Amino acid sequence: MTNQLSHRSRYWTLLGTIITQFALGSVYTWSLFNAQLAGKLSEPVSRVAFSFGIMSLALAVASSMAGKMQERFGVRKVTLGAGILLGASLVLTAHATNIWLLYIFAGLLIGFADGTGYLMTLSNCVKFFPERKGVISACAIGAYGLGSLGFKFINMYFLEHNGLESTFDYWGIIAMVMVVIGGLMMKDAPKQRVSATESAADVRDFSLSQSMKCPQFWMLALVFLTVCMSGLYVIGVAKDIGQGYVHLSLDVAAAGVAIIAVANLGGRLVLGVLSDKIVRTKVIAIALVVCLVGVCALLFAHQSMLSFYIAVACIAFSFGGTITVFPSLVSDFFGLNNLTKNYGIIYLGFGIGSFIGSIVASIFGGFIATFYLMFGLLIVSLIIALTIKLPQLPRSSLV
C-alpha cells in the first residue's frame, strides 16, 4: 500500500509540476508588452525592457532561496504562495503609473514569484524520478517553455480585444489559478538513500559548502551564466532586435517570439531526452555550438528575415536545452539530496546573465556589444564543457 501511495504521489507531483511550470513560463511573452508599456509610461523601449532583466535577476535570487523555503514550509505551501504572489503582481503591473513601479511590480515581484516556484518544483519532481532525470526535466521544463507559446496566443488575444491593463489582469488570474491547482497536487520528494547495489562511498552527496569549494562548481556556473545571458537577452528583446537591428516589419519581427517559443521547447525536449542517453557534458557542448551558430548569424551573416529567424531559433534552442539538462548535470556532479541548494546558487547566473546583457547594451547603446560578449563567453564555455571532469568525493563521503 505504501509503495502504491508513493507511486501515485510521484505521478500526481509530476502532473502538478507540469501545470505549474506551464503557468510560470508565461513570463517569456514579456517582449509583447514592451512597446505598449513604453507608450503608456512615456518611456523609451530600452528602459521598459530593462524590467525583464530585473525580473530575471529576481527570479534567480528567489530560486537560490527556494530550497530553504521548501525545508521550512514544504513544496505545496511554497508553491501556493508563489502562485498567489504571481497573480497579484501581474494585476499590480497593470496599474503601474511610472517606470519605478513597473520595475517593482513586473521586475522584482513577478520575478520573485516565478523563481520561487520554478526551481523548487522542478528539483522536487526530479528527485521523485532519479532513474529518469533527463526525461522528467524535459517534461517539466518543456511545460515551462510551452507556457511561453501558449500564453503568447492568450496574451495576444487579450491585447487585441481588451487592452493592456485588462490583459495583465486576466493573465494574472489564469496563471494564479494554474499554479495553485498544480501546487495542491504536489508532495515533497523523499530523501535519496544508498541503494543495495552501491556503497556509501559511491554516492555523490555534496553539501552546498562542499560543492562551492570545487572548481567544477564555478566552471559550471560560468557555462550556465553564458547560455542564460545569451538566451534571456535575445528572448527579452527579440521583437526589438528584429525591428531595430535587422530592420524587419513589426509583424515579421513579432513572429520571432513564436519561433523562439517553439525552438525553446524543442531544445528542452530534444536535449533533455538526449541527456539520458549520452554524457551530459557532451549535451551541453552541443547546446553551446548551436548557440554559437545563432550568435554568428547575428554578428557575421547578412541580416535578413531568414538570418534573424535562424539566429533566434538557435539561441532559444540552446537556452531551453541547457536549462533542462543543467539540474541533472549538477546532480551528476554533486548529488541529488542538495540539488535545490547547489543548483540554486548556480541558477543565480540566470538573472545575473540577463542583467549583464541589458547593462552592456545600455552602456554601449545597442545590441552588437552584447552579441560580441556572448560570442567570447561561448568560446570559453565550450572549452569548459569539453574538458571538465567530475570532482573528487568529499572526505566525509569516503569515511
Side-chain angles (χ1 to χ4, degrees), residues 11-246:
Y11 282 102
W12 274 110
T13 298
L14 173 60
L15 181 57
T17 301
I18 288 172
I19 293 170
T20 297
Q21 294 281 340
F22 186 93
L24 296 177
S26 65
V27 298
Y28 286 98
T29 63
W30 192 254
S31 67
L32 295 174
F33 299 92
N34 284 338
Q36 290 200 36
L37 285 169
K40 175 188 174 183
L41 301 177
S42 300
E43 295 282 355
V45 170
S46 60
R47 292 195 69 191
V48 170
F50 189 63
S51 60
F52 187 80
I54 298 173
M55 182 193 300
S56 300
L57 182 60
L59 195 159
V61 171
S63 296
S64 71
M65 300 166 58
K68 288 289 187 182
M69 288 189 277
Q70 183 182 2
E71 284 183 357
R72 183 169 181 180
F73 301 108
V75 68
R76 178 177 295 176
K77 290 182 179 178
V78 178
T79 303
L80 295 180
I84 293 169
L85 179 59
L86 178 62
S89 302
L90 285 165
V91 172
L92 287 171
T93 299
H95 305 287
T97 55
N98 59 63
I99 194 69
W100 294 107
L101 288 178
L102 181 71
Y103 289 164
I104 293 170
F105 298 152
L108 294 176
L109 295 184
I110 291 178
F112 189 86
D114 206 88
T116 299
Y118 167 72
L119 181 56
M120 178 193 62
T121 59
L122 167 64
S123 300
N124 183 70
C125 190
V126 168
K127 290 176 187 176
F128 268 111
F129 300 88
E131 74 285 1
R132 286 178 285 175
K133 295 184 288 187
V135 171
I136 296 303
S137 292
C139 290
I141 304 181
Y144 194 80
L146 192 59
S148 66
L149 179 60
F151 272 88
K152 185 256 185 184
F153 295 104
I154 292 170
N155 287 340
M156 284 291 288
Y157 175 85
F158 286 131
L159 278 172
E160 291 172 3
H161 294 86
N162 300 95
L164 181 65
E165 293 184 359
S166 294
T167 297
F168 276 110
D169 291 337
Y170 290 133
W171 177 11
I173 293 169
I174 294 170
M176 179 182 67
V177 170
M178 291 184 70
V179 174
V180 167
I181 290 173
L184 291 172
M185 299 168 70
M186 297 178 197
K187 287 193 174 181
D188 289 279
K191 185 177 177 66
Q192 300 300 308
R193 301 186 183 280
V194 179
S195 70
T197 59
E198 53 189 2
S199 66
D202 296 324
V203 176
R204 294 188 169 271
D205 192 13
F206 287 68
S207 67
L208 177 58
S209 61
Q210 289 170 334
S211 299
M212 293 177 70
K213 292 176 183 177
C214 300
Q216 291 92 336
F217 184 88
W218 301 107
M219 293 164 74
L220 290 178
L222 177 61
V223 173
F224 190 74
L225 181 148
T226 297
V227 177
C228 287
M229 185 188 74
S230 305
L232 287 171
Y233 178 73
V234 171
I235 288 170
V237 294
K239 182 171 68 67
D240 309 301
I241 291 173
Q243 287 185 276
Y245 181 72
V246 188

